Every structure is written in C-alpha cells, then in structure tokens.
Amino acid sequence: MSKLGNVIGFEVRRNLKKKTFWYTSLFLPVIIIAVFAITHASSNHASSSSQQQTSSYSKTAKLGVLDETGLVNKQVLLRDHIVIEPNEQAGIDGVKDRKLTAFFYYPKNVTQVGIQVFAQDQGIAFTPPYNALASQLLSQSAVATVSSATHDSEAVQILQKSPSVTATTYKNGVETNGLAGIVAPIIFYVIFSFFVVMLSYFMISATTEEKENRAAEILLTTIKSRSLIIGKILSIFVLGFVQIVIIIVPLLIGYALFHNHISLPGGVSLSHIPLDAKAIAIGASVLLLGLVMFTGILVGFGSLFPSAQEASRYLGIVILSAFIPLYAIGYVVSSPHALIVTVFTYFPLTAPSTVLLRNAVGTLSTGDALGVLAMLLVTATLSILFAVRAFNYGAMAYNRRISIKELFR
Amino acid sequence: MPSLDSKNLNNSVVDVQSFAMNFGRKEVIKDLSFNVKRGEIFGFLGANGAGKTTTIRTLLGLYEPTRGTLLVNGERYNPNMSANIGYLPEERGLYRNEPVINTMVYFAVLHGLSESEAQKRAIAYLKRVGLADKANERLVKLSGGQQQKIQLGVTILHEPSLMILDEPTEALDPVNRALLMDIINERQAKGATVMLVTHRMDEVEQLCDRILLLKDGSVALYGKIDEVKEQFGSQIIALNYSGKLPVNDKLYKVTKRLPHHAELVWSGNINTDEVLHFLANQHDLHITTFEVRRPSLNDIFLELYKDQEGKNV
C-alpha cells in the first residue's frame, strides 16, 4: 500500500474509534428523529384533543347567531339548537350576561369585514374553537345551499375539499420539472452544508493533533507533506461519507416505506423525483471542488495554530462565510443578476453554497456554472498548496502561531 | 580544525559542506562542514542553542539551508529515503491516544515495512524492552521512560542504516539507559551508522568513534576522541584528598575544586613528579588517590563553555 493509502487508513481507523466522531455523527439524526417524533406526537395529540374539545364544546355550548347575509342554513341552526338573536347588541348582551357561550355575527358584507365572534373567556388552558365553528357554520350552509340548488355532487365535493393540482411547466418550449426539479440538485447543497457544519472541526484540527503530540517532525521526515495533507483531506471525506450514510440510511428506509404518503410543499411528490443530468453534474462538481477548497483552507488554517482549541476560535468565521448567501436567499432565487448574487457567486468562500442553491432553483446559467467551476478548481488547488505550505512552516512551531505574513515571506 | 577528508567522501553517509543558517536576522549556524562515516557512531555535541537540532532538521529537509549543502548518502534528503533513516527527534512525540502497537506499526509501514512484518517486529521489540503487556495500551497511559522506549522502537523498527538520535537516553533510568546502549551497539554491529546528540559525555566516550563539538554555530572541536583530547591540550592530575590543598601558582592551577576532590593542570616546563613531590610534602594534606590523565570530554566541554557557565550549559 502507498504511503498515501497508509495515511488514509490510519486516519480513518483512529477517527472511527473516537467517541466524539460518533457523538457528532449520531447527534444530527437523533435530533431529527426526536424532533420529528415529538412534533408528530404533539400534532396528533393536539388534533385529537382539539377534536374532543370541539365535539364536547359543540354539545354543551349555548350559541347565538345573527345572520344578515341570509347564507346560513336555518336547518343547520335548528339541528344544532342554535338561538337566532334579533340584533347584534342582543347577542353581545347574551354573552355578557352568560346566557350564551358564544355569539356569531355574520354581517351583510361578510366577505369584506369577516365574521364577528363574541364569546365567554374560558381561560388560557382551553381555547374553544369559536372561529372554526363560526366559519364551519357558514361553509356548511353554503355547501348545503349549493347541494340543494344544483344536485351536483362534484360541485359539492369541490366546495368541501380542494382538488389536487398537477402543474406542467415549459421553458423555451421544453417541458421542465417545476418544483420537483429542485429535489435532486438541492441534495448537493444539503450535503455541502452538512460537511461544513459537521466536519469543520475535524478539518481545522487535522494537523494540530500532530503538533500538539509533537509527532509532526518524525512524520515529515517519513512522508512528503503534500501526501500527508492530501491523505488527511481524503480521510476527512471518507469520514464525511460515513456520517452521510449514518444519516441517509434511515431516511432511505423511510422513503422506501412511506414515499407514496409523503408530499413536499407545492404538491411535489417523493414518489417521482426527476433527475436532471446537467444539474446533477454541476451540483456534484461544485460540491466536490467546494469541499476540497474549504477543507484545504481549514486544514491550512489549523496548521498555523499550536493547538486545535486555539484554531477552533476562528472556525465560526469560516463557517459563517459559507452560509452568508442564505441571508440573501430572496435575491439568489428570484434575482440571479443582482450585484449581490454575482458577488456571492464568484467570491470563493460564498460561491459553493450560492451556486448550489442557484443550480437547484434553476437560475444558474451554463456560462456562470463553467466560470464558477473554473474559479473553484483554481482556489481548491491553491487551498491545498496553502495547506501544505502552512503545515511545512507551522509543523515545528510547537508553541506559537504562524502569521500569514510569515508564511509567504 | 581538520578539514573534510575527501578520500572518505564516498564512505560518508552524512556530508555537510559550508552550511549556514539564519532565522530572520539571527545567524544560528555560521559555516559548518563535517561528515559522518559509514558504520561509525558520531557524537554531535554542543550546549543548548548551539545549533545541533537546526543542523539535523536541515539535514533531514525540514528546514531550507541559508547556504551550503547537506547530503545523506550523497543526495539531499527527501522522505522517500526514510526506509534507510531512523530519526529520534529532540521534540519527542507520537499519537498519545492511540494504542502503542498501532502507532509503531503505522510508522514502520510508512518507513517501508509490510504491515505483517511491522506487526511482528513491533511485538518482538516490545518483548525485548519489557513492554509486551502494554501493546494495546494508549501511549498516554505509559510512563515517560516507557514512552521513550516506544519512541526508540519507532526509530529502529525498520532497521535503518543511519540512525540520528537526539538525546536518546534522556528520561531513562540507568537500567534502561544500559538497555538502550545495548540496542544502539547492536545496530552498529550490524553495520548501521549512528549520529548521536547527547549532553552525557560519559556516553560519548563509551560509544562514539568521532565527535564534533558545536559552539555558537561553528565547529569548536572535530575528530576522533583521542585527537580531540590531544588537540585540546595538556594532561591533568585528579586528586582525592582530605585536609587542605595549598595554592601554588608557580607549579599548578586548580581547574576544579570540590571538598575532597580537585583537578590540577601544571605549567608546561614543570613535570608531574615536581607537582606530586610538592603535594606529598604538605603536612596538612592527605592524598588518598591520584590519577594523571588526559582531560575528559566533560572537562573539555566545560572548559569550552566556561564563559557561558550559568547561562545555558
């Protein structure tokens, strides 16, 4: 096996044995699962509790109604033992005098001013579904009116439940994937973000361990610094791959089991994810070069410091720069030619996330894509050279920080 | 100062010519030339800050020289030559949180051994130095002396033809120091060349064929130990005594004085008999033992650095 292979094998093995690696790897999926489970349980509980409360409330509440629209179905009111009030003030007084639990007032111009609800305060622990009931009363009446007037069951169904929409979009006369087209290329952005957040500490501390342990000197007489740095970078990628597998396997299992039941916003179904070869190729290339660039910068940066603890103080600055484009997401998505988007697209530290987002939402031209890939290729190469130089100079500065000026003197 | 013997050039494992090194404005090495011959144990000596470690690091390609050439086996060192080199640096260090055996095997494989061979040799070495039961312990759990033995193991496991050992016996007790001396001697007996940096002059006298003593970035002494002693000067009288040692500037000068031990050097035109006769006739001085000998390397070292005494020796 080559020395490079030995470095990768050794680094991967020893990092896989570290508890911190598994803590950070399992932290995210555990949090995702926990949040999902809690949200799901809480939502189910709230829904069931609300249904119970509404049902119980509907049975026990004394309701009054004044309908100036003439839309509310009298039979529905009679069915539910709802009192019709002579005027608005009488209804309000009924609530104030506790004769009514709630009073719903439907003014003539209800579509403009809305339904007025007056009700007893039941305390903060229980919020009765006044608004839902008032609205439901009107919509049920409307459905009943349409039903009796047209006898058209489809029209009634449409009123009761909005039909699903399937959109087909075209660009330059060619059918596009619409919102569903975002799913595959956005995965590259997610992976990039994941790598930067989860592995940046491993990147910045990749060489500080050798310095802290005083092993750099013997290593540098045994293996070329370039091979060592490349080996360390590749081992970080392997570790990142392991972490992604840890996260993705449960997601894939979930997808396999539930893909027909899960829909994303905008009616995008996970049962059919369109794959655009060009977008995927650009996404994969930007991801790879962006990661190499970031890793090179962080490994090199770490080499300038005597300890991982000292180096990691500056980690936030680099991570933040990767995510700054998110603050301008509106421009990135809707105004790709805005100056700020152009700057983010071509500034090395912000380029990967900006370009991956633009690639996903379809606002990245082929020219921009090629320009950014060329720029990333150059900066990724320079970042590796920086890392090698920084390690060469910093490796034996055991107790002090090397300045950038000193590095290029 | 003897110049480099050009006849021995082909026999040189290490060849340093006109080496100078500046760090910023500070001149660390002024003009250094020497060679280390194949199969010898070469003592590379000097006080702290004399430039020994800088020279070794530059020889091994860790620093770029300001001037001069530094060759190992006739070429500038690069890590592809590491199969032939065993380097024990002054700044000790391995992976503290890794099991001992993993670290030893990793470095041995980087030095060119196969993994199975590295494993075999590592286990054999650990048995030899009494640390077989520590093979799967993390290095950080071992004592300083035990870690030192592991570090030496990393240096020699691949059986290099040139070993550069920077203070190898530091932190070792006498038993382990003797063990390490045995290991170094064994390696030399098998044809290895050893470049030894140490402050222990007794080790140098026991082990080294030739020495170079570096002072302020220049060569102060260079050659075989006998030659260096010859070069340095006259013999001394070492006395163990009780009573009072008189002062006699006409006959001798006291170079070292302890409560019951003294070392004297005498003037060039006076012989040893006259000094001993004078001392023997002192009523309040009782000489228990005396020895006429050449100065030890320790004496020479101290003499050379006398002006810096108390500063950094």
Side-chain angles (χ1 to χ4, degrees):
Chain A
M1 197 194 283
S2 67
K3 288 186 176 182
L4 182 65
N6 289 325
V7 172
I8 296 170
F10 181 73
E11 292 290 332
V12 169
R13 274 199 299 271
R14 75 196 186 95
N15 278 304
L16 286 180
K17 283 190 284 179
K18 284 181 181 169
K19 284 178 188 167
T20 49
F21 174 80
W22 291 102
Y23 290 153
T24 52
S25 301
L26 294 171
F27 178 74
L28 193 60
V30 166
I31 288 290
I32 290 172
I33 291 167
V35 167
F36 180 77
I38 291 167
T39 310
H40 187 68
S42 166
S43 160
N44 280 349
H45 175 73
S47 166
S48 126
S49 172
S50 169
Q51 276 174 7
Q52 278 177 6
Q53 285 176 354
T54 306
S55 162
S56 150
Y57 180 78
S58 304
K59 284 174 191 163
T60 58
K62 283 183 182 174
L63 300 176
V65 162
L66 173 59
D67 176 28
E68 290 178 353
T69 63
L71 292 171
V72 179
N73 191 316
K74 302 292 181 295
Q75 285 176 341
V76 172
L77 296 180
L78 286 172
R79 188 192 69 199
D80 292 344
H81 309 291
I82 295 171
V83 181
I84 298 169
E85 295 295 331
N87 56 53
E88 185 183 1
Q89 194 53 50
I92 294 170
D93 290 344
V95 172
K96 283 182 178 173
D97 298 341
R98 298 185 184 176
K99 290 175 186 162
L100 294 175
T101 313
F103 164 59
F104 302 155
Y105 171 44
Y106 300 94
K108 272 183 185 170
N109 51 349
V110 70
T111 52
Q112 288 165 11
V113 299
I115 305 165
Q116 307 281 311
V117 172
F118 305 89
Q120 299 291 338
D121 185 350
Q122 301 285 336
I124 202 164
F126 171 59
T127 310
Y130 304 121
N131 299 0
L133 263 176
S135 173
Q136 210 175 22
L137 207 55
L138 189 61
S139 59
Q140 277 179 6
S141 300
V143 169
T145 306
V146 172
S147 176
S148 59
T150 64
H151 302 289
D152 182 342
S153 63
E154 197 159 349
V156 172
Q157 277 180 28
I158 286 169
L159 280 175
Q160 285 177 326
K161 186 188 171 191
S162 299
S164 66
V165 178
T166 305
T168 305
T169 53
Y170 296 89
K171 191 173 185 180
N172 302 326
V174 179
E175 189 177 327
T176 59
N177 293 316
L179 272 178
I182 292 177
V183 177
I186 203 75
I187 289 172
F188 294 105
Y189 173 76
V190 174
I191 294 174
F192 175 77
S193 307
F194 170 83
F195 253 84
V196 171
V197 172
M198 299 289 282
L199 290 172
S200 51
Y201 184 78
F202 282 93
M203 295 172 189
I204 208 159
S205 61
T207 57
T208 49
E209 195 175 350
E210 274 78 8
K211 287 177 77 171
E212 285 176 58
N213 287 340
R214 305 290 195 264
E217 193 167 346
I218 193 164
L219 263 179
L220 280 175
T221 58
T222 315
I223 180 168
K224 286 180 178 169
S225 51
R226 195 179 52 200
S227 302
L228 182 70
I229 295 293
I230 290 173
K232 281 180 170 285
I233 288 174
L234 291 177
S235 72
I236 288 170
F237 284 6
V238 173
L239 294 173
F241 179 74
V242 172
Q243 285 188 323
I244 285 171
V245 168
I246 292 168
I247 291 171
I248 251 177
V249 165
L251 292 179
L252 286 178
I253 293 170
Y255 176 73
L257 295 174
F258 304 113
H259 66 272
N260 287 323
H261 306 285
I262 304 169
S263 281
L264 295 176
V268 176
S269 168
L270 285 177
S271 59
H272 173 67
I273 298 171
L275 301 175
D276 177 348
K278 184 180 151 197
I280 288 173
I282 291 171
S285 308
V286 171
L287 172 69
L288 180 67
L289 291 173
L291 287 180
V292 172
M293 180 192 73
F294 260 95
T295 312
I297 290 171
L298 285 173
V299 170
F301 199 62
S303 300
L304 302 176
F305 290 86
S307 70
Q309 197 183 11
E310 206 170 318
S312 60
R313 283 187 209 154
Y314 300 86
L315 198 57
I317 300 168
V318 184
I319 294 179
L320 187 67
S321 65
F323 293 105
I324 278 179
L326 277 181
Y327 293 98
I329 187 75
Y331 284 108
V332 172
V333 172
S334 59
S335 307
H337 301 297
L339 177 64
I340 191 168
V341 179
T342 307
V343 171
F344 282 165
T345 300
Y346 283 96
F347 180 65
L349 289 177
T350 53
S353 49
T354 309
V355 173
L356 288 171
L357 282 171
R358 288 183 62 188
N359 184 48
V361 299
T363 63
L364 184 70
S365 69
T366 306
D368 270 346
L370 292 174
V372 170
L373 282 173
M375 181 273 292
L376 284 177
L377 185 65
V378 172
T379 47
T381 309
L382 289 176
S383 76
I384 300 289
L385 293 175
F386 162 70
V388 171
R389 192 173 178 88
F391 186 62
N392 271 338
Y393 274 79
M396 274 162 300
Y398 292 118
N399 299 313
R400 68 184 183 92
R401 196 181 112 186
I402 301 282
S403 68
I404 298 283
K405 192 176 158 192
E406 198 177 341
L407 194 62
F408 293 104
R409 196 158 54 196
Chain B
M1 181 203 336
S3 63
L4 176 69
D5 184 355
S6 59
K7 280 189 293 185
N8 288 325
L9 206 59
N10 290 336
N11 198 27
S12 296
V13 178
V14 171
D15 181 18
V16 175
Q17 288 293 312
S18 309
F19 168 46
M21 187 75 177
N22 298 346
F23 287 125
R25 288 180 187 170
K26 191 179 174 192
E27 191 178 38
V28 179
I29 303 288
K30 288 166 187 159
D31 181 14
L32 180 61
S33 297
F34 69 94
N35 69 344
V36 179
K37 293 171 190 169
R38 196 170 303 281
E40 75 174 343
I41 299 184
F42 184 82
F44 192 50
L45 316 174
N48 296 334
K52 305 182 299 291
T53 300
T54 299
T55 304
I56 290 172
R57 286 178 175 173
T58 314
L59 178 70
L60 294 177
L62 298 170
Y63 293 153
E64 277 294 312
T66 305
R67 198 175 59 245
T69 55
L70 300 94
L71 306 177
V72 175
N73 287 325
E75 45 184 315
R76 278 188 71 175
Y77 182 81
N78 72 72
N80 291 336
M81 299 157 71
S82 71
N84 296 318
I85 305 287
Y87 175 40
L88 179 72
E90 179 193 32
E91 287 279 0
R92 307 277 194 270
L94 297 167
Y95 293 96
R96 278 183 290 207
N97 290 311
E98 277 300 297
V100 165
I101 190 82
N102 291 6
T103 301
M104 293 185 80
V105 169
Y106 176 53
F107 280 101
V109 171
L110 285 180
H111 278 114
L113 292 186
S114 69
E115 197 156 333
S116 57
E117 183 62 23
Q119 189 90 15
K120 204 170 79 184
R121 289 193 195 182
I123 290 168
Y125 175 83
L126 289 172
K127 277 183 189 161
R128 162 114 200 242
V129 298
L131 293 176
D133 59 329
K134 307 284 184 192
N136 293 306
E137 286 272 359
R138 290 187 301 141
L139 192 75
V140 71
K141 298 278 182 189
L142 273 56
S143 70
Q146 290 172 329
Q147 290 188 24
Q148 174 84 334
K149 288 197 243 179
I150 302 301
Q151 187 98 38
L152 182 74
V154 165
T155 309
I156 65 167
L157 215 59
H158 56 293
E159 299 186 348
S161 58
L162 170 63
M163 297 195 295
I164 300 175
L165 310 174
D166 201 339
E167 299 190 39
T169 55
E170 199 183 69
L172 292 181
D173 59 44
V175 174
N176 284 311
R177 188 176 293 137
L179 174 66
L180 186 137
M181 293 293 189
D182 283 348
I183 291 171
I184 293 173
N185 275 327
E186 269 173 34
R187 292 296 314 133
Q188 197 218 7
K190 288 181 181 175
T193 307
V194 181
M195 189 169 168
L196 180 69
V197 176
T198 181
H199 288 131
R200 294 187 59 94
M201 295 303 146
D202 55 333
E203 284 174 4
V204 176
E205 298 218 37
Q206 285 167 27
L207 288 170
C208 294
D209 300 301
R210 292 191 307 141
I211 62 161
L212 184 149
L213 201 149
L214 201 58
K215 188 187 175 195
D216 299 330
S218 300
V219 175
L221 293 167
Y222 176 43
K224 288 182 179 170
I225 291 180
D226 284 346
E227 289 171 1
V228 165
K229 287 183 175 176
E230 190 79 40
Q231 222 178 300
F232 191 72
S234 57
Q235 294 184 319
I236 60 168
I237 296 172
L239 295 176
N240 285 321
Y241 67 93
S242 57
K244 192 180 171 190
L245 180 69
V247 175
N248 188 336
D249 289 341
K250 284 182 186 168
L251 280 175
Y252 55 81
K253 201 167 84 177
V254 181
T255 56
K256 184 176 180 182
R257 186 194 286 268
L258 297 170
H260 300 291
H261 177 84
E263 288 174 6
L264 318 174
V265 291
W266 58 95
S267 307
N269 53 352
I270 291 170
N271 65 42
T272 324
D273 292 348
E274 284 178 71
V275 177
L276 291 174
H277 183 74
F278 170 77
L279 293 172
N281 288 325
Q282 300 302 310
H283 296 297
D284 50 357
L285 174 70
H286 175 62
I287 297 171
T288 50
T289 65
F290 75 90
E291 181 189 13
V292 179
R293 62 167 169 84
R294 285 215 172 107
S296 68
L297 279 180
N298 204 50
D299 300 325
I300 294 171
F301 190 94
L302 288 174
E303 185 64 24
L304 270 172
Y305 280 96
K306 204 159 53 181
D307 54 331
Q308 292 180 21
E309 209 170 331
K311 289 182 195 167
N312 57 4
V313 176

